[in-house]
Amino acid sequence: MLRFIPLLPFLGFLINLALGRRLSKAIAGAVACLAMFGAFLVSAWSVWTLVQMAPDSRGIVDQVAPWVESGALSIPFTLRLDPLGAVMVLVVTGIGFLIHLYSTAYMHEERDSEYARYFSYLNLFAAFMLVLVLGANFPVMFVGWEGVGLCSYLLIGFWFSKKSASDAGKKAFIVNRVGDFGFLLGMFMVWVQFGTLDFQAVAHKAGQLPPEAVFGTLSIATLLLFVGATGKSAQIPLYVWLPDAMEGPTPVSAFIHAATMVTAGVYMIGRNAVLFSHAPDTLAIVAGIGVATALMAGTIGLVQNDIKRVLAYSTVSQLGLMFVAMGVGAFAAGIFHLYTHAFFKALLFLGSGAVIHALAGEQDIRKMGGLRRELPVTYWTFLIGALAIAGVPPLSGFFSKDEILWKAFSGGHKTVWAVAVIASLLTATYMFRLVFLTFHGSRATGMGSHDPAVAMGAVSAKAGGHGSHLHDAPPAMAIALVLLAVGSVVAGYIGSSNRIEAFLEPSFAVPGIEAGAPHVAGAAGHAEAAPVHAAVGSAEASEVRGGEGGKAGEGGKTVETGNAAEEQRTELTLMAFSSGIAAAGIGLAAFFFLRRRDVTDRIAARFAGLHRLLLNKYYIDEAYDAVIVQPIYRVSERGLWKIVDAGLIDGAVNMAGESVSGWSDVLRRLQTGSIRAYALSIFVGVVVILGYYVWR
């Protein structure tokens, strides 16, 4: 049954690829949407079956076929659904279906063949992502891992005749290959260390080991896997491809940012939670990289003027928070934020697409303003998404973000918590800067023009716009926006009160081994590490068990009850604090971008250097170009091409040809065709040979 989840979108891909040129847009779009909807129904049925099982035995396995058999290496093509996979397949198929539905209207002005090509790529993207999340071992996951990389290249560069789009596709492909190299090396090290690549078997064997007190084999293996995660999930130093990925169609951006590719790295670490729990140094690096990425992306997002780029940097920042959760051992909190983020980020991207669609391709928020009256559906749904990502209660982002902050604080990572709070403040500020500049105030008259039509006239018609006539989202787009807005409101409740932790707990536990048992037997030197890593499941599990009725009422538990009460007060205090941070961020945005924009301009002029630094994204792209791209280009051009290829290889081949040609020219002169000349040469030869023997 599980095989049908990725198979259905793959069939949609095959149909549109093979017959797309002959199909009308309605049929091509219907095939793609039905394929995704079918995958969603199969996923929902499978998850329902899973939920009916006992919590400790939740797992559905589909042995598709034998795959690699070589000596001790046996890798079957196996799919497995567990609680973690259940969350992911519902996100990929559910959000994916809505994005497919939205695309039927958004891409409608493409030619028939391009329309079918778009949906075939989109279906293939979903199929590979589903293989990634359902794979029961590293190699099957790697098939999906590479597949989504390929599809991102195809979709980001969908308008390949536009140079910036083709460059962005190539950039995404190459940067991800760097991370994939690390993933491969990590996978090889796991095989060498454990003799298996099955996730459950690896977790079982890793669970019998104590956490590493020094940077050892497990730390290196997990660090290499994390390098792969930084590529897919756009973390420092491999995040640079994601903002440029905005060159693709907006629904593609929504798919990449919300439901597929960028979640792969977070999911991979969650899938290997036990393995990472035994590498405390790697987890510290994960948390450090995550919080640094969240802060850096937040500062860049403050000054960007492209509506999609603001959202792109917000994705990078939110992914950073997810990695913070992973780094402090709160795997369930990280997946919870991934789940809620899928709703509001898809909503925000699709809302931005509705704005771009209405404005004939305009993406500069300085040329917008006052759109809330003309685009009411887009405005209200976009506002819900902005409130959710800002962490305003009681929307979904509030629950998941607060959970991450609480886990960081309660785990003793105060510095990480403080930086994450600042990143959250920045999120609320730049998101409502986006809302106010786009939808509020008066309609901008363009850069140097008072006629909106003039301002829009120079923009690309790539989004299939409709001239200067403003219109709200058509029905297919509006339905997707409204459903995602509903999800952005209610998704948090599904995971609150530790429900999602209780559901996910079996995926982060060691099969057949009590959580924490190996760590008790470990060296004393691991005591410091234990609160962060070993307690991956135990800390969360204790809360879960507590929530299930384990009220401390027996003798000897009074102290625990008191600690729990104190802990609850602290959590409530932090919850109120994080709500205040969200309100403060929105207030700052309202002051600077709604009431006193002149103050913003004066601050930008006063700190022109800092403003320019942020506007140019810390010049990271320029630094990479100067330090990596240009040296490789020069070495390739001047060394490998002109010296090695043209000079040595071509020179050697040419020299061989010229030598043969020269000697042939000499020998040709001896072939005169004269019998007397040949007889004379034979005579001379005989005389020389005889003379040699006589002389000797």
Side-chain angles (χ1 to χ4, degrees):
M1 192 70 173
L2 292 182
R3 68 187 68 182
F4 289 102
I5 298 176
L7 187 59
L8 286 171
F10 188 73
L11 289 175
F13 155 72
L14 291 178
I15 292 172
N16 271 323
L17 182 70
L19 306 174
R21 291 178 180 275
R22 302 183 185 86
L23 299 178
S24 66
K25 288 179 183 175
I27 296 177
V31 166
C33 291
L34 287 175
M36 283 305 297
F37 189 63
F40 174 71
L41 290 180
V42 177
S43 300
W45 175 258
S46 301
V47 173
W48 174 255
T49 305
L50 186 79
V51 172
Q52 304 307 308
M53 299 177 178
D56 292 338
S57 60
R58 282 174 179 161
I60 301 173
V61 177
D62 187 351
Q63 187 90 29
V64 179
W67 186 21
V68 179
E69 297 288 344
S70 178
L73 180 65
S74 175
I75 303 173
F77 199 97
T78 303
L79 305 178
R80 182 183 295 125
L81 183 72
D82 67 350
L84 176 59
V87 173
M88 293 299 296
V89 294
L90 290 178
V91 166
V92 175
T93 57
I95 304 291
F97 167 69
L98 293 177
I99 292 172
H100 277 66
L101 178 65
Y102 178 98
S103 297
T104 57
Y106 190 87
M107 301 296 289
H108 199 265
E109 294 194 6
E110 294 291 332
R111 290 183 288 113
D112 286 1
S113 59
E114 296 299 288
Y115 194 77
R117 181 169 69 90
Y118 169 81
F119 277 107
S120 66
Y121 290 167
L122 212 58
N123 270 173
L124 186 65
F125 202 177
F128 276 124
M129 188 65 196
L130 290 166
V131 170
L132 190 156
V133 300
L134 287 172
N137 53 55
F138 278 99
V140 176
M141 172 186 272
F142 192 68
V143 171
W145 191 272
E146 288 300 296
V148 296
L150 169 66
C151 293
S152 67
Y153 163 74
L154 295 173
L155 285 166
I156 293 169
F158 180 75
W159 287 309
F160 57 84
S161 58
K162 185 182 174 187
K163 187 176 184 305
S164 58
S166 61
D167 286 348
K170 287 183 284 188
K171 186 176 183 180
F173 191 78
I174 292 171
V175 172
N176 271 279
R177 296 292 76 70
V178 176
D180 295 350
F181 184 63
F183 184 94
L184 271 178
L185 293 179
M187 185 168 65
F188 295 155
M189 285 198 69
V190 169
W191 161 253
V192 171
Q193 178 69 18
F194 299 109
T196 180
L197 291 172
D198 183 90
F199 290 126
Q200 284 195 343
V202 169
H204 186 80
K205 292 187 176 183
Q208 298 176 17
L209 302 173
E212 286 188 335
V214 296
F215 203 86
T217 304
L218 294 185
S219 297
I220 296 173
T222 50
L223 186 61
L224 288 169
L225 292 174
F226 176 60
V227 171
T230 59
K232 280 289 180 290
S233 293
Q235 296 293 288
I236 294 174
L238 300 180
Y239 72 93
V240 291
W241 66 271
L242 191 59
D244 288 2
M246 299 302 98
E247 292 293 337
T250 301
V252 171
S253 303
F255 209 23
I256 290 175
H257 286 248
T260 54
M261 191 162 165
V262 300
T263 63
V266 181
Y267 167 77
M268 186 270 289
I269 293 180
R271 173 57 68 203
N272 294 284
V274 176
L275 185 63
F276 275 81
S277 298
H278 288 70
D281 291 332
T282 301
L283 281 184
I285 293 172
V286 171
I289 293 290
V291 78
T293 304
L295 182 63
M296 185 197 67
T299 55
I300 295 175
L302 278 176
V303 299
Q304 296 301 306
N305 296 313
D306 185 309
I307 186 171
K308 290 174 67 177
R309 283 191 179 271
V310 176
L311 295 177
Y313 280 104
S314 81
T315 299
V316 176
S317 183
Q318 296 303 305
L319 288 167
L321 289 180
M322 295 177 206
F323 279 101
V324 166
M326 296 293 166
V328 302
F331 297 101
I335 298 299
F336 185 23
H337 196 53
L338 183 156
Y339 156 71
T340 60
H341 179 262
F343 285 96
F344 53 71
K345 185 47 59 71
L347 173 61
L348 290 167
F349 263 111
L350 297 186
S352 73
V355 172
I356 296 168
H357 192 265
L359 298 181
E362 180 59 79
Q363 297 185 195
D364 192 332
I365 56 177
R366 294 170 297 180
K367 299 177 182 178
M368 300 179 188
L371 296 177
R372 69 182 190 280
R373 298 184 188 86
E374 287 91 348
L375 312 176
V377 174
T378 303
Y379 169 66
W380 286 107
T381 53
F382 196 93
L383 182 63
I384 290 172
L387 289 168
I389 196 173
V392 174
L395 281 80
S396 60
F398 163 74
F399 294 101
S400 56
K401 192 180 293 184
D402 180 73
E403 187 72 5
I404 292 174
L405 295 176
W406 163 243
K407 291 296 182 185
F409 186 89
S410 61
H413 309 278
K414 302 294 172 45
T415 303
V416 171
W417 172 81
V419 178
V421 166
I422 295 172
S424 300
L425 175 68
L426 294 175
T427 300
T429 305
Y430 65 68
M431 282 309 305
F432 273 83
R433 169 181 178 263
L434 189 60
V435 170
F436 294 142
L437 292 183
T438 303
F439 296 100
H440 288 256
S442 58
R443 181 74 179 279
T445 56
M447 304 300 287
S449 171
H450 296 286
D451 183 359
V454 173
M456 295 170 200
V459 302
S460 166
K462 65 185 180 184
H466 299 271
S468 59
H469 172 63
L470 283 177
H471 58 90
D472 208 346
M477 294 167 61
I479 291 171
L481 291 175
V482 171
L483 291 177
L484 286 170
V486 172
S488 299
V489 175
V490 303
Y493 294 98
I494 296 174
S496 62
S497 303
N498 294 325
R499 279 192 288 270
I500 198 163
E501 289 185 0
F503 181 67
L504 291 174
E505 184 190 355
S507 296
F508 304 140
V510 182
I513 297 178
E514 285 293 328
H519 316 305
V520 174
H526 306 315
E528 186 179 347
V532 181
H533 340 282
V536 174
S538 58
E540 297 173 358
S542 62
E543 295 177 16
V544 174
R545 285 191 289 270
E548 289 178 347
K551 294 183 178 180
E554 301 176 2
K557 294 191 175 180
T558 305
V559 176
E560 293 181 12
T561 304
N563 291 338
E566 177 63 25
E567 188 175 272
Q568 189 175 27
R569 281 195 294 275
T570 305
E571 185 175 5
L572 290 174
T573 302
L574 291 178
M575 192 180 295
F577 180 71
S578 62
S579 302
I581 288 295
I586 295 171
L588 285 173
F591 177 76
F592 285 113
F593 303 107
L594 196 60
R595 297 177 62 87
R596 297 292 305 274
R597 292 190 189 181
D598 58 309
V599 176
T600 310
D601 295 336
R602 287 205 298 272
I603 292 176
R606 175 79 180 277
F607 301 98
L610 177 61
H611 183 259
R612 194 162 47 249
L613 180 69
L614 297 179
L615 199 60
N616 288 285
K617 302 158 286 186
Y618 294 102
Y619 294 98
I620 297 296
D621 281 328
E622 289 78 3
Y624 279 9
D625 186 65
V627 175
I628 299 174
V629 177
Q630 290 304 322
I632 291 176
Y633 180 78
R634 283 194 288 270
V635 168
S636 301
E637 184 185 34
R638 299 173 187 174
L640 297 178
W641 174 33
K642 293 186 177 178
I643 296 178
V644 177
D645 187 21
L648 295 179
I649 298 176
D650 287 357
V653 172
N654 293 338
M655 187 173 66
E658 290 170 357
S659 298
V660 171
S661 176
W663 279 106
S664 299
D665 189 56
V666 173
L667 294 174
R668 182 176 59 81
R669 297 179 185 279
L670 299 177
Q671 303 298 317
T672 61
S674 170
I675 299 298
R676 285 182 297 178
Y678 294 155
L680 178 61
S681 64
I682 292 172
F683 175 75
V684 171
V686 171
V687 169
V688 170
I689 293 172
L690 290 176
Y692 169 75
Y693 282 105
V694 171
W695 178 262
R696 193 180 65 169

